[in-house]
Amino acid sequence: MKVDIVVDARYKSCPGPLLALAEAVMKASPGQIIMLLATDPGAPRDIREWALNVGHKVLNIEKADETYQIYLEVSS
Amino acid sequence: MSKISIIVASEKLDKLLPAATLATTAAVMGWESEMFFTFWGLLALKRDYEPKEVSSDYKVYEDYLRRAVSSGAMPSWLEILEQGKKTGRLKVYACSATMSFLGVKTEDLVEYVDGVVGAASFLSKAKDSDINLFIS
């Protein structure tokens, strides 16, 4: 997957990862793909809920060691 | 659009952090979000106020929380609030009665305060909220 922006929010607890991602989305363009790196165990569900509310699309969530890689496509 | 209203009645770190987290997360999720700072909560809106203490019952955990904030693992309550304000959907109100009895003037308050209001004004703003919380 082609990633346009990487947001590293590892070792940040809630609401750090979501706020970091939301800030990146504000600066991003529609169609861009953001990869969020997070270790907060609540992050995957939180990001999914948030994306549902605001209309962005979670493409995939992977986990390597303790790090989640959350792929988000920015909507218009 | 969903809406949350939070009454904040404490200036302690362990109350301000969850209050700011919920208010800002709601705003970032596209919700309307309102905070009303009353009684000791109002102290947190004074310029240069930096919360360092937790509630007295939980003193034993104070260092854990301070360390989480100072290491950057947890954002400070002001950083959280500022991001909520950036959305334009988070409103912060100061309680007028508390300002009177504490002798706090409008110019003593941080600039992100949207207004000084009384109980009736806040209630009428909050009455159509989906979620109402009182944090003290």
Side-chain angles (χ1 to χ4, degrees):
Chain A
M1 194 182 306
K2 183 183 154 290
V3 172
D4 299 293
I5 299 158
V6 177
V7 177
D8 187 353
R10 285 175 297 168
Y11 314 113
K12 292 192 186 300
S13 59
C14 169
L18 175 60
L19 297 186
L21 179 62
E23 186 132 30
V25 165
M26 276 197 270
K27 295 174 190 159
S29 313
Q32 284 193 310
I33 291 171
I34 299 176
M35 178 175 72
L36 172 72
L37 301 175
T39 47
D40 185 298
R45 286 184 76 160
D46 262 29
I47 303 302
R48 278 192 196 281
E49 283 299 325
W50 168 77
L52 273 177
N53 271 264
V54 294
H56 302 300
K57 192 173 173 190
V58 175
L59 300 174
N60 195 22
I61 297 180
E62 293 166 10
K63 192 181 180 197
D65 295 324
E66 58 177 11
T67 302
Y68 294 99
Q69 299 179 349
I70 302 171
Y71 296 88
L72 183 94
E73 184 179 333
V74 179
S75 71
S76 46
Chain B
M1 191 193 291
S2 301
K3 183 170 172 181
I4 185 170
S5 300
I6 303 177
I7 297 171
V8 185
S10 167
E11 85 293 16
K12 302 291 189 200
L13 189 55
D14 55 330
K15 311 294 180 176
L16 294 174
L17 276 169
T21 296
L22 292 171
T24 286
T25 301
V28 166
M29 276 168 66
W31 295 19
E32 280 182 73
S33 183
E34 295 193 340
M35 301 178 92
F36 180 62
F37 287 79
T38 187
F39 276 75
W40 321 125
L42 185 92
L43 298 169
L45 296 184
K46 289 178 77 175
R47 282 179 202 280
D48 302 325
Y49 176 76
E50 200 184 318
K52 291 200 170 93
E53 292 185 341
V54 301
S55 311
S56 53
D57 283 354
Y58 304 100
K59 276 280 176 215
V60 65
Y61 298 109
E62 191 168 83
D63 283 346
Y64 292 78
L65 194 53
R66 275 204 213 171
R67 226 176 293 140
V69 175
S70 64
S71 71
M74 194 178 277
S76 76
W77 92 284
L78 211 54
E79 285 167 348
I80 299 173
L81 218 59
E82 279 169 356
Q83 193 156 346
K85 293 298 295 181
K86 268 195 232 170
T87 66
R89 287 185 292 272
L90 171 60
K91 302 289 180 210
V92 173
Y93 298 103
C95 167
S96 57
T98 309
M99 287 180 62
S100 301
F101 83 72
L102 288 178
V104 175
K105 305 265 179 285
T106 307
E107 56 266 29
D108 300 331
L109 300 177
V110 287
E111 66 280 356
Y112 56 78
V113 173
D114 293 283
V116 176
V117 302
S121 305
F122 181 75
L123 287 173
S124 65
K125 288 176 191 300
K127 83 172 160 46
D128 57 347
S129 294
D130 302 280
I131 300 172
N132 284 297
L133 300 174
F134 185 95
I135 296 180
S136 71

